[in-house]
């Protein structure tokens, strides 16, 4: 019999009951909660007269709607304020641990889970948010769910699930200097497409993934969903264990030793068989820039906007044509000719301390181009912000003309006041370049923090390796 | 949950690939703490020429006459014929609620994003996956025949076209049963209370750090 994949191991350890055919009742260890996808679930619970099954599995934070400017006066927008207050009220009522807006630990839900050690290897982690895949970097099975399932987990600590197929994405060799985790994952999505991982759980492996820090692995797993996969995972190694040690929610003393022993098993067996395998050569990956309205519409910084007329598949060609019209780009335009109106460095993809350090390295002693209307840096959490300030990064940013903000989702999805105007073009370290994602009529180019920083200085895309 | 059994509904084609949940219901409408009222903002950025915001008076909006849902012949549509990878992007169940609130009870597409597909079954919306050729054929027939209705029979797992052609589709049996009966999944799961408690007891022993 073939060995088990990492996904098999975590899945098997959480099956409570088999429901026949392919459906099982799967136990959930960690339930992360935010303000946007939880109010209707709490309401459902109350209407049915049910109680949350395991309060201690839950960790809540408001991130999507929070302002990134001073919070002294609360939230201006009354509808957003009500949503955040509803989360506060629900968490107070059920005594769920919540990092409120004034808490130093507040931040983007996918940044604070790992930061607190609330995300651990081998766990099942869910949240009403598709970027829950981020937590798979820890060898956890982590995936986004809808609000009905949020209520199901609250009430039963389980989910009815069907097992996915398994896809190994192996990135072998070494990436060149200036090529980051973001470039790796964009290149993967460019290769397999936005539906390439649909129906699969991805395991990211290979020497280039093993060489990444936890921050880098989180960036890669974060965008599993942009490749169509609900979950992406990375095997546990010393990097994982070193990151977790000493964090507030991490196991301590004897339990730590027992946990580490169990975590060491969280890797695919040598003879495990995957349903599909994709291999990439890390040395061929260059800094990436998306040009269209789907994350698969991506190319290297040295490349050009593609020509839809040269694509044979009619549906694909039409999709590209439509994307270029929306993006206001001509075929064959060099990527480096694309000028930017705004820069956004932040989001659950790229707002951790390493991301800010990478941006600061590029920005140091330089100035944001006059043609750039706004350059925003939004740290992923209050603790990331504090660390960055301790290292003096905030001064580098503000001296260069960047705005240094309070933590939250911000312009990644533009639910708060941070958004693009009609027709504005943004270099963004976020994860989605859909039409209207960063504001109605706004145009998003997905890049790494270093590439966004370089674009801010130059006013257009440049290859950060020669910058 | 609302049951889905049989539907005889007007169809509307929206043949774009990768229709994402941001397009189905833009983010500003997710600030609501309710489950209802999203239909008026379904496909907001495609449907209207003016910017949409929560709490707006719908009668003041400027519909885009070129957008398919705004055409007279498609008013009252209940079946959406769509392209590949429908519902990709964010996990917002609001996308399903918006389709449902607008009146769409069934989507027919070659493929769906996993989370959207899963969410649909939880809110009584039936997502049918059939091959791209069939979807294209249905879309074409729909465009060429005003008043084009499809009959969807979940129990029989069939789509019947106006010419009487029967197209079979697959659906997971457990999901089918829940949808046909409009079952409360949480209630069903809580009947397994003992299994969940047994699992927890064992797990507390083998991995105590998950419970501290």
């Amino acid at each position: 019999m073939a060995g088990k994949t990492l996904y098999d191991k975590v899945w098997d350890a959480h099956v409570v009951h088999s429901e026949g055919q392919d459906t099982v009742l799967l136990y959930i260890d960690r339930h992360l909660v935010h303000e946007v996808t939880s109010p209707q679930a709490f309401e459902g619970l109350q209407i049915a007269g049910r109680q949350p099954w395991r309060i201690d599995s839950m960790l809540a934070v408001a991130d999507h709607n929070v302002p990134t400017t001073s919070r002294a006066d609360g939230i201006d927008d009354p509808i957003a304020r009500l949503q955040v207050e509803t989360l506060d009220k629900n968490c107070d009522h059920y005594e769920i641990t919540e990092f409120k807006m004034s808490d130093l630990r507040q931040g983007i839900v996918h940044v604070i889970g790992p930061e607190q050690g609330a995300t651990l290897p081998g766990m099942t982690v869910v949240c009403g948010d598709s970027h829950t895949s981020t937590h798979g970097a820890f060898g956890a099975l982590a995936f986004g769910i809808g609000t009905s399932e949020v209520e199901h987990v609250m009430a039963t600590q389980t989910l009815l699930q069907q097992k996915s197929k398994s896809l190994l994405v192996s990135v072998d060799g070494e990436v060149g200097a200036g090529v980051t985790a973001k470039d790796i994952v964009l290149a993967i999505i460019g290769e397999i497409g936005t539906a390439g991982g649909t129906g699969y759980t991805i395991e990211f492996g290979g020497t280039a993934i093993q060489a990444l820090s936890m921050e880098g692995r989180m960036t890669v797993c974060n965008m599993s969903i942009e490749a169509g996969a609900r979950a992406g995972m990375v095997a546990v190694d010393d990097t994982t264990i070193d990151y977790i040690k000493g964090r507030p929610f991490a196991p301590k003393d004897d339990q730590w030793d027992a946990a580490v022993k169990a975590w060491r098993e969280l890797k695919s067996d040598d003879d495990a068989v995957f349903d599909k395998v994709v291999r990439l050569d890390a040395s061929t990956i260059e800094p990436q820039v998306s040009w269209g309205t789907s994350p698969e519409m991506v190319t290297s910084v040295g490349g050009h906007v593609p020509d839809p007329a040269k694509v044979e598949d009619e549906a694909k060609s039409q999709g590209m044509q439509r994307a270029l019209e929306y993006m206001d780009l001509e075929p064959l335009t060099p990527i480096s000719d694309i000028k930017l109106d705004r820069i956004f460095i932040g989001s659950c993809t790229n707002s951790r301390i390493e991301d800010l350090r990478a941006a600061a390295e590029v920005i140091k002693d330089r100035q944001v181009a006059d043609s750039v209307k706004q350059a925003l840096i939004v740290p992923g959490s209050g603790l990331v912000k504090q660390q960055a300030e301790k290292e003096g990064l905030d001064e580098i940013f503000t001296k260069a003309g960047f705005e240094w903000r309070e933590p939250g989702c911000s312009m990644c999805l533009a639910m708060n006041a941070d958004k693009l105007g009609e027709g504005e073009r943004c270099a963004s370290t976020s994860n989605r370049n859909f039409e209207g994602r960063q504001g109605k009529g706004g145009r998003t180019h997905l890049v790494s923090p270093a590439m966004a920083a370089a674009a801010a200085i130059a006013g257009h895309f440049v290859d950060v390796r020669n910058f | 949950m609302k049951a889905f059994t049989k539907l005889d509904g007007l169809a509307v084609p929206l043949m774009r690939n990768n229709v994402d949940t941001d397009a189905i219901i833009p983010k500003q409408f997710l600030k609501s703490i309710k489950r209802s009222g999203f239909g008026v903002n379904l496909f907001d950025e495609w449907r209207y020429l003016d910017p949409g915001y929560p709490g707006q008076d719908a009668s003041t909006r400027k519909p885009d006459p070129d957008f398919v849902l705004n055409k007279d012949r498609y008013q009252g549509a209940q079946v959406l014929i769509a392209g590949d990878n429908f519902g990709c992007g964010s996990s917002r169940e609001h996308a399903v609620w918006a389709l449902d609130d607008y009146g769409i009870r069934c989507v027919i597409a070659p493929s769906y994003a996993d989370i959207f597909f899963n969410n649909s079954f939880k809110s009584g919306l039936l997502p049918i996956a059939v091959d791209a050729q069939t979807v294209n054929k249905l879309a074409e027939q729909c465009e060429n025949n005003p008043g084009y209705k499809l009959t969807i029979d979940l129990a029989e797992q069939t789509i019947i076209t106006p010419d009487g052609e029967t197209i079979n589709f697959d659906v997971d049996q457990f999901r089918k049963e829940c949808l046909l009966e409009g079952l409360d999944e949480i209630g069903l799961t809580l009947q397994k209370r003992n299994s969940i408690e047994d699992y927890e007891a064992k797990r507390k022993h083998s991995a105590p750090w998950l419970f501290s």
Side-chain angles (χ1 to χ4, degrees):
Chain A
M1 208 177 96
K4 285 182 171 188
T5 62
L6 168 60
Y7 173 49
D8 291 333
K9 290 181 185 182
V10 181
W11 176 272
D12 291 350
H14 289 86
V15 174
V16 170
H17 190 270
S18 176
E19 303 287 318
Q21 232 191 8
D22 303 328
T23 306
V24 307
L25 198 59
L26 197 73
Y27 190 81
I28 303 303
D29 295 313
R30 177 67 69 204
H31 187 188
L32 303 168
V33 176
H34 68 74
E35 79 276 23
V36 179
T37 53
S38 66
Q40 298 88 349
F42 279 115
E43 188 190 50
L45 215 58
Q46 280 149 9
I47 290 171
R50 293 171 176 140
Q51 288 293 316
W53 183 283
R54 238 187 89 194
I55 304 284
D56 71 331
S57 72
M58 296 168 78
L59 177 61
V61 72
D63 55 4
H64 285 61
N65 272 303
V66 299
T68 58
T69 47
S70 165
R71 288 170 180 174
D73 301 324
I75 305 176
D76 274 348
D77 174 355
I79 308 176
R81 187 168 64 230
L82 176 64
Q83 195 167 54
V84 172
E85 285 171 358
T86 301
L87 179 67
D88 292 350
K89 201 178 72 191
N90 283 322
C91 291
D92 289 347
H93 176 74
Y94 291 112
E95 298 183 348
I96 295 164
T97 304
E98 185 200 8
F99 298 160
K100 292 206 164 77
M101 216 166 70
S102 55
D103 193 313
L104 179 65
R105 300 169 296 177
Q106 183 270 341
I108 305 172
V109 67
H110 307 308
V111 174
I112 67 162
E115 186 173 74
Q116 293 295 321
T119 302
L120 296 175
M123 271 184 165
T124 43
V125 180
V126 297
C127 175
D129 193 289
S130 60
H131 290 110
T132 308
S133 57
T134 311
H135 308 263
F138 291 82
L141 175 59
F143 53 91
I145 57 179
T147 299
S148 294
E149 290 190 319
V150 168
E151 185 182 339
H152 197 281
V153 176
M154 284 177 180
T156 71
Q157 210 59 38
T158 63
L159 276 177
L160 288 157
Q161 288 290 300
Q162 292 169 310
K163 198 170 174 190
S164 319
K165 291 178 283 182
S166 58
L167 164 61
L168 174 66
V169 175
S170 186
V171 189
D172 296 294
E174 271 182 52
V175 292
V179 177
T180 68
K182 182 65 165 284
D183 303 304
I184 294 177
V185 72
L186 285 172
I188 291 169
I189 296 164
E191 176 82 18
I192 70 173
T194 43
T198 304
Y200 291 90
T201 288
I202 301 178
E203 179 174 339
F204 296 100
T207 48
I209 300 293
Q210 286 157 10
L212 291 174
S213 65
M214 286 317 295
E215 283 87 347
R217 294 176 191 183
M218 284 189 256
T219 300
V220 171
C221 288
N222 174 273
M223 289 190 74
S224 303
I225 187 68
E226 274 65 52
R230 283 179 87 176
M233 307 174 84
V234 175
V236 173
D237 61 9
D238 288 342
T239 306
T240 325
I241 290 165
D242 293 346
Y243 179 95
I244 298 167
K245 195 168 179 143
R247 294 191 181 260
F249 287 57
K252 312 242 165 0
D253 308 322
D254 287 359
Q255 284 205 358
W256 170 257
D257 297 334
V260 169
K261 192 164 170 242
W263 295 342
R264 294 276 181 203
E265 303 298 318
L266 293 171
K267 56 186 177 201
S268 291
D269 294 332
D270 291 340
D271 56 345
V273 178
F274 291 84
D275 293 306
K276 193 162 103 179
V277 177
V278 173
R279 292 188 190 279
L280 272 82
D281 176 357
S283 67
T284 64
I285 300 174
E286 297 183 45
Q288 302 284 299
V289 180
S290 76
W291 51 265
T293 53
S294 165
E296 70 186 13
M297 295 174 170
V298 66
T299 190
S300 301
V301 62
H304 295 76
V305 174
D307 185 355
K310 300 231 168 73
V311 175
E312 277 184 28
D313 180 330
E314 202 186 328
K316 195 172 176 192
S317 176
Q318 281 174 4
M320 287 168 71
Q321 186 65 49
R322 194 184 147 77
L324 291 189
E325 278 167 28
Y326 182 85
M327 295 297 288
D328 191 27
L329 289 173
E330 291 298 323
L332 306 179
T333 305
I335 294 295
S336 55
D337 281 3
I338 299 174
K339 296 185 175 64
L340 287 317
D341 300 303
R342 291 182 200 263
I343 309 294
F344 172 61
I345 298 178
S347 88
C348 58
T349 314
N350 282 127
S351 63
R352 299 177 181 85
I353 190 67
E354 274 194 8
D355 299 316
L356 303 188
R357 286 178 191 144
E361 202 176 313
V362 175
I363 294 164
K364 196 171 186 343
D365 300 327
R366 287 164 156 162
Q367 285 296 314
V368 172
D370 290 341
S371 57
V372 171
K373 292 181 201 168
Q374 183 184 41
L376 271 185
I377 301 195
V378 184
S381 72
L383 290 170
V384 169
K385 182 168 189 260
Q386 187 185 48
Q387 179 63 31
E389 287 172 357
K390 207 191 265 179
E391 296 177 22
L393 305 186
D394 58 322
E395 273 179 47
I396 295 174
F397 299 142
T398 50
K399 255 168 75 182
F402 276 87
E403 296 174 34
W404 176 240
R405 297 290 190 92
E406 298 296 325
C409 299
S410 181
M411 205 192 272
C412 171
L413 87 166
M415 259 187 99
N416 69 355
D418 310 334
K419 58 184 74 164
L420 300 182
E422 185 82 33
E424 285 181 342
R425 192 181 293 284
C426 180
S428 178
T429 66
S430 56
N431 40 56
R432 290 190 175 132
N433 50 351
F434 299 154
E435 286 183 27
R437 171 78 178 181
Q438 295 191 291
K440 185 177 161 78
R443 298 172 177 134
T444 304
H445 295 273
L446 303 174
V447 287
S448 73
M451 282 288 290
I457 306 301
H460 56 88
F461 287 115
V462 283
D463 189 337
V464 70
R465 294 172 300 181
N466 314 322
F467 193 63
Chain B
M1 183 187 71
K2 188 156 67 177
F4 185 107
T5 50
K6 199 170 174 183
L7 170 72
D8 186 32
L10 185 69
V12 56
L14 181 68
M15 296 307 291
R16 294 178 190 178
N17 291 340
N18 301 318
V19 170
D20 58 75
T21 54
D22 276 83
I24 299 173
I25 185 80
K27 79 285 284 172
Q28 63 269 39
F29 305 108
L30 309 189
K31 294 176 190 178
S32 168
I33 57 171
K34 301 199 177 93
R35 252 178 205 266
S36 56
F38 296 101
V40 68
N41 301 112
L42 175 70
F43 296 118
D44 198 275
E45 292 188 5
W46 292 345
R47 208 164 130 201
Y48 302 103
L49 296 166
D50 57 326
Y53 53 86
Q56 208 167 3
D57 177 358
S59 66
T60 64
R61 301 295 302 273
K62 296 191 191 74
D64 180 347
D66 292 335
F67 185 60
V68 69
L69 285 186
N70 291 330
K71 297 190 190 291
D72 281 346
R73 57 175 286 200
Y74 294 121
Q75 296 313 301
Q78 291 181 288
V79 180
L80 184 73
I81 306 173
D84 244 331
N85 199 27
F86 187 81
C88 60
S90 115
S91 69
R92 60 187 73 165
E93 197 162 315
H94 311 66
V96 176
W97 301 338
L99 286 161
D100 178 67
D101 195 54
Y102 178 84
I104 303 289
R105 298 296 321 280
C106 173
V107 184
I108 302 174
S111 65
Y112 298 87
D114 289 341
I115 304 180
F116 175 85
F117 188 73
N118 202 37
N119 285 344
S120 298
F121 285 98
K122 313 289 178 186
S123 290
L125 176 76
L126 175 64
I128 298 177
V130 288
D131 64 275
Q133 210 183 340
T134 304
V135 174
N136 288 335
K137 186 178 73 183
L138 293 176
E140 201 175 309
Q141 288 178 0
C142 184
E143 275 167 32
N144 295 335
N145 296 286
Y148 185 86
K149 281 186 163 185
L150 291 170
T151 303
I152 318 290
D153 188 331
L154 177 57
E156 295 296 323
Q157 297 180 213
T158 55
I159 304 168
I160 302 167
T161 70
D163 326 345
E165 189 194 349
T166 300
I167 298 157
N168 296 301
F169 63 87
D170 287 332
V171 59
D172 173 72
Q173 292 308 302
F174 181 77
R175 284 173 160 156
K176 175 178 171 180
E177 202 181 311
C178 290
L179 207 48
L180 280 173
E181 304 288 331
L183 292 176
D184 166 22
E185 276 189 14
I186 295 177
L188 279 182
T189 299
L190 286 173
Q191 290 174 9
K192 313 262 163 53
R193 179 176 284 278
N194 290 342
S195 303
I196 304 171
E197 285 170 351
D198 288 351
Y199 172 89
E200 280 185 332
K202 280 189 208 137
R203 194 76 174 150
K204 271 181 195 163
H205 184 71
S206 63
W209 58 88
L210 295 173
F211 294 85
S212 50

